[in-house]
C-alpha cells in the first residue's frame, strides 16, 4: 500500500506562532481515515545546502532528478503527557494540540510532519514553519 498524502492532509495542520521567540502551537485532528487517534508529530530540519555533486534536471523520459539536502535532522515531539493524552482520549477531544519549541539552526529550514496510522496504510501531512 502507498501512503496517503497531499494538500488535503497538509491543510489539516494548523500552526500558530506564540509569544515566545521560537514557540509554536500545533493543532491537528486526532482521527483521519479511521486512524488510531495518536498522530506522530516530527520536526524536520533540512539544510539549505544540497549535495555538491548533484544537478537537478529532467531526463528525456520526463523523470525529474532533484537534489536532497546535505543534512536532515528529525526530532519527534510529544505535545501532551501520557496523563493529558488519556484525559483527551476519554473526553473524545477531536484535536491533538500543544505547544513546542523550534531550535534555530543557521542555514536550515524547518517543517513539521504529521503521520496518522491506520490499519491499511499511513496518512501524512506537512507544514512549513521556517523557510
Amino acid at each position: 500500500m502507498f501512503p496517503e498524502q497531499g494538500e488535503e492532509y497538509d491543510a489539516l495542520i494548523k500552526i500558530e506562532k506564540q509569544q515566545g521567540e521560537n514557540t509554536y502551537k500545533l493543532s491537528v485532528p486526532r482521527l483521519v481515515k479511521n486512524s488510531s487517534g495518536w498522530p506522530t508529530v516530527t520536526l524536520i530540519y533540512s539544510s539549505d545546502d544540497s549535495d555538491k555533486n548533484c544537478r537537478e534536471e529532467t531526463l528525456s523520459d520526463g523523470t525529474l532528478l532533484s537534489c536532497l539536502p546535505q543534512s536532515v535532522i528529525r526530532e519527534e515531539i510529544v505535545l501532551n503527557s501520557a496523563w493529558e493524552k488519556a484525559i483527551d482520549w476519554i473526553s473524545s477531544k477531536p484535536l491533538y494540540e500543544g505547544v513546542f519549541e523550534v531550535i534555530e539552526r543557521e542555514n536550515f529550514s524547518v517543517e513539521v510532519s504529521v503521520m496518522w496510522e491506520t490499519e491499511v496504510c499511513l496518512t501524512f501531512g506537512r507544514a512549513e514553519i521556517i523557510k
Side-chain angles (χ1 to χ4, degrees):
M1 284 288 175
F2 292 101
E4 293 191 63
Q5 56 191 5
E7 292 178 11
E8 169 186 357
Y9 302 106
D10 296 348
L12 298 175
I13 301 170
K14 306 296 181 211
I15 299 174
E16 296 175 27
K17 181 130 175 66
Q18 300 295 290
Q19 293 286 345
E21 191 170 311
N22 297 319
T23 307
Y24 297 84
K25 180 180 179 182
L26 175 79
S27 178
V28 297
R30 284 194 175 282
L31 299 171
V32 171
K33 300 259 185 186
N34 298 321
S35 62
S36 67
W38 304 109
T40 302
V41 179
T42 306
L43 282 177
I44 303 170
Y45 297 85
S46 301
S47 67
D48 296 337
D49 300 325
S50 58
D51 184 5
K52 292 177 175 102
N53 298 325
C54 181
R55 285 190 352 244
E56 292 193 1
E57 61 182 295
T58 304
L59 301 178
S60 59
D61 67 354
T63 304
L64 176 66
L65 295 179
S66 42
C67 298
L68 297 175
Q70 273 187 338
S71 179
V72 175
I73 302 166
R74 295 177 182 276
E75 176 186 327
E76 188 173 322
I77 57 175
V78 178
L79 299 176
N80 306 123
S81 68
W83 178 248
E84 291 170 319
K85 281 184 176 180
I87 290 172
D88 290 351
W89 185 257
I90 292 168
S91 65
S92 298
K93 189 173 177 184
L95 297 175
Y96 180 55
E97 54 190 356
V99 175
F100 64 95
E101 190 171 332
V102 171
I103 299 169
E104 278 198 42
R105 300 175 192 271
E106 192 172 327
N107 298 323
F108 276 78
S109 58
V110 184
E111 67 180 5
V112 66
S113 170
V114 180
M115 178 183 69
W116 294 271
E117 290 187 50
T118 64
E119 290 179 18
V120 178
C121 64
L122 300 174
T123 303
F124 287 93
R126 287 184 166 222
E128 196 170 76
I129 298 174
I130 299 173
K131 214 173 190 180

